[in-house]
């Protein structure tokens, strides 16, 4: 079926809106990831904020949001393939915005931790749904690129958090920093209600053909009935039942791979400023390392994703883990500041950048009927690593280990990520017996 220029233009506009809205949404996920790291030194040194906080407590507080992300992502995976992509994303925007606002008004470590957990629920639901929607609207041959652009929002948001902390933290305090995270409720959410469509592929997979045709006409996408991976629901189980019934081994390996990647991401984003403070840099200088880390993580995967679309995402993800391992190990060297910042940029590409590529990998690995569950599993189970990141960092520091030893531990985890990535089967096999190569 030929596509008219008008239809192609309509599809392009739809894709721009989807990627734009999804990217901004994930920017606030990235902001939430790093904003705690920018204020943790304040909590450690000033008991008048939320009470006395030592490194172990700080690590636990950092993990509460990630526990929320884990629960939110897994819950979204259990209902997202039934409820739909659009409704899940709108609900997630509203939820995490309100929870961020509430966090800003807490006065004890306990209430701070509770609202960090509640914020994580919304962030998890968003992470579990975004890649599925983007993949189902992205053109063939550019799915990894579109997801890389979208998920670059996470490090861009982290970059914004670090930059805003350098400029504003002394003026608005940590409460003002958290209030910034509530802005999507009055900005992004109204735009998404207006411009975010439901996935045509998901509608077809649920047997809602007439509704799918209407949305396809409005958005300019083609009806996907001919795609063997997108069939009505009776062709296979949906959600977690289909994921673990038909794709158990790759799902488990993907979950472990994501957990390893996120352990690295959250360890560094939570504790890098404190480690750099202990290495002799001042407060603003230590925050600048976060700026470089996340700036490189935002830009690098967009370039690398072109190779993932051409050669397949698995070898590219493995190579990115390898880059991260080498760069983290190089952080132990006595280098001039300029060289150290260049190494930190490579660390960003090899950690947060790797996680960006992982989401694109997973979103294109599974068929539509279990895609939401697959991405949710990646984001949710992976958050076990995210939960462990702040905890491990806090425990390693509390144990009195040297900065060099801590970096070598993290480099070893990146090597584990390579092994897990290479162990994932090269393609997925649909229950009908037809091979459907991933990526």
């Amino acid at each position: 079926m030929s596509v008219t220029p008008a239809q192609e233009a309509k599809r392009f506009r739809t894709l721009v809106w989807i990627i734009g809205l999804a990217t901004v949404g994930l920017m606030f996920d990235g902001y939430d990831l790093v904003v705690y790291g920018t204020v943790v030194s304040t909590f450690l040194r000033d008991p008048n904020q939320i009470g006395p906080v030592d490194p172990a407590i700080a690590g636990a507080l950092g993990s509460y949001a990630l526990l929320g992300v884990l629960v939110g992502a897994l819950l979204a995976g259990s209902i997202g393939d039934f409820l739909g992509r659009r409704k899940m994303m709108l609900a997630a925007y509203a939820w995490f915005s309100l929870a961020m606002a509430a966090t800003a008004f807490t006065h004890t470590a306990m209430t701070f931790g509770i609202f960090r957990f509640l914020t994580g629920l919304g962030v998890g639901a968003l992470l579990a749904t975004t890649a599925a929607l983007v993949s189902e609207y992205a053109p063939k041959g550019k799915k990894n690129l579109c997801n890389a652009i979208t998920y670059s929002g996470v490090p861009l948001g982290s970059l914004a958090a670090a930059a805003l902390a350098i400029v504003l933290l002394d003026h608005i305090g940590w409460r003002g920093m958290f209030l910034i995270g509530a802005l999507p409720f009055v900005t992004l959410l109204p735009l998404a209600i207006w411009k975010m469509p439901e996935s045509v592929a998901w509608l077809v997979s649920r047997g809602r053909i007439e509704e799918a045709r209407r949305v396809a006409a409005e958005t300019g996408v083609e009806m996907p009935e001919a795609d063997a991976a997108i069939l009505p629901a009776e062709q296979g189980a949906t959600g977690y039942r289909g994921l673990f019934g038909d794709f158990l081994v790759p799902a488990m390996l993907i979950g472990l791979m994501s957990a390893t990647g996120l352990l690295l991401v959250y360890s560094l984003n939570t504790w890098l400023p404190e480690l750099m403070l202990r290495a002799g840099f001042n407060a603003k200088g230590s925050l600048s390392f976060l700026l470089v880390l996340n700036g490189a993580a935002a830009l690098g995967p967009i370039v690398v994703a072109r190779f993932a679309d051409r050669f397949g995402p698995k070898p590219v993800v493995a190579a990115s883990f390898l880059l991260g391992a080498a760069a983290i190990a190089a952080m132990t060297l006595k280098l001039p500041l300029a060289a150290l910042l260049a190494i930190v940029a490579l660390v960003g590409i090899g950690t947060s950048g790797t996680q960006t590529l992982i989401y694109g990998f997973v979103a294109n690995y599974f068929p539509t009927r279990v895609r939401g569950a697959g991405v949710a599993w990646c984001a949710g189970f992976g958050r076990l690593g995210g939960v462990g990141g702040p905890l491990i960092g806090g425990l390693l520091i509390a144990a009195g280990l040297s900065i060099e030893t801590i970096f070598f531990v993290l480099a070893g985890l990146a090597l584990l990520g390579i092994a897990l990535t290479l162990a994932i089967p090269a393609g997925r096999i649909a229950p009908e017996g037809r091979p459907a190569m991933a990526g």
Side-chain angles (χ1 to χ4, degrees):
M1 177 180 176
S2 61
V3 179
T4 66
Q7 185 180 8
E8 185 63 33
K10 187 181 292 185
R11 175 172 182 167
F12 179 76
R13 288 194 299 271
T14 300
L15 184 62
V16 168
W17 270 107
I18 289 173
I19 290 179
L21 292 169
T23 302
V24 173
L26 290 178
M27 283 182 66
F28 282 92
D29 169 43
Y31 183 89
D32 179 74
L33 160 65
V34 166
V35 71
Y36 178 69
T38 67
V39 303
V40 68
S41 294
T42 300
F43 293 158
L44 287 169
R45 290 164 173 81
D46 186 357
N48 293 320
Q49 300 301 321
I50 57 172
V53 174
D54 59 26
I57 293 174
L61 290 175
S63 295
Y64 290 156
L66 308 182
L67 281 170
V69 173
L70 186 157
V71 175
L74 293 178
L75 286 175
S78 66
I79 61 176
D81 282 322
F82 299 92
L83 186 63
R85 320 300 192 211
R86 183 177 186 272
K87 290 178 181 178
M88 286 300 303
M89 291 180 73
L90 296 180
Y93 292 151
W95 184 281
F96 80 72
S97 297
L98 293 174
M100 283 286 279
T103 304
F105 295 100
T106 59
H107 290 86
T108 68
M110 178 180 292
T111 54
F112 182 88
I114 289 171
F115 281 107
R116 291 296 288 152
F117 175 81
L118 293 175
T119 301
L121 292 177
V123 171
L126 181 62
L127 283 169
T129 312
T130 298
L133 180 68
V134 171
S135 289
E136 287 160 6
Y137 270 98
K140 291 181 179 179
K142 295 184 178 179
K143 293 182 180 294
N144 286 287
L145 175 61
C146 289
N147 267 295
I149 293 171
T150 302
Y151 275 82
S152 71
V154 177
L156 280 174
S158 300
L159 182 71
L164 289 171
I166 291 172
V167 176
L168 297 177
L169 182 57
D170 290 341
H171 304 288
I172 65 175
W174 72 267
R175 299 183 191 280
M177 294 296 296
F178 276 86
L179 282 174
I180 290 173
L183 288 176
F185 191 79
V186 295
T187 54
L188 179 62
L189 179 60
L191 275 175
I193 292 172
W194 178 36
K195 283 292 188 179
M196 183 77 76
E198 183 54 89
S199 164
V200 174
W202 176 82
L203 290 169
V204 171
S205 76
R206 301 301 298 162
R208 294 159 60 173
I209 305 302
E210 290 305 316
E211 188 177 352
R213 289 196 177 102
R214 177 181 60 78
V215 176
E218 292 172 352
T219 59
V221 302
E222 296 180 67
M223 287 288 289
E225 292 143 309
D227 189 337
I230 303 173
L231 295 170
E234 64 266 21
Q235 295 294 325
T238 60
Y240 288 128
R241 180 183 174 192
L243 180 68
F244 295 117
D246 300 324
F247 307 99
L248 178 60
V249 172
M252 295 305 299
L253 289 169
I254 282 169
L256 291 170
M257 172 186 66
S258 179
T260 302
L262 285 168
L263 192 153
L264 291 169
V265 171
Y266 281 87
S267 294
L268 289 165
N269 277 286
T270 300
W271 289 109
L272 186 61
E274 180 65 19
L275 289 173
M276 293 299 100
L277 273 175
R278 292 173 182 240
F281 294 91
N282 61 30
K284 289 190 175 181
S286 66
L287 287 174
S288 69
F289 284 95
L290 275 184
L291 211 63
V292 173
L293 181 82
N294 289 289
L299 298 176
I302 295 175
V303 176
V304 176
R306 294 182 177 273
F307 295 96
D309 279 321
R310 183 173 180 182
F311 300 110
K314 188 170 83 166
V316 177
V317 170
S320 189
F321 265 125
L322 179 60
L323 174 65
I328 293 170
M331 290 284 290
T332 63
L333 303 175
K334 303 298 183 183
L335 298 171
L337 178 59
L340 187 59
L341 288 172
I343 293 297
V344 170
L346 294 178
V347 172
I349 296 172
T351 55
S352 294
T354 301
Q355 196 64 29
T356 296
L357 296 173
I358 286 173
Y359 287 124
F361 177 13
V362 175
N364 296 303
Y365 192 92
F366 297 109
T368 302
R369 64 184 174 86
V370 297
R371 182 172 292 130
V375 176
W377 172 250
C378 174
F381 184 85
R383 252 42 189 197
L384 289 174
V387 170
L391 284 172
I392 287 176
L395 292 173
L396 292 176
I397 291 173
L401 296 179
S402 68
I403 295 173
E404 291 78 9
T405 300
I406 293 172
F407 281 134
F408 278 128
V409 170
L410 297 178
L413 289 168
L415 293 177
L416 174 61
I418 297 172
L420 291 168
T421 303
L422 294 177
I424 296 171
R428 51 179 167 79
I429 303 297
E432 296 80 21
R434 293 182 294 275
M437 297 306 293

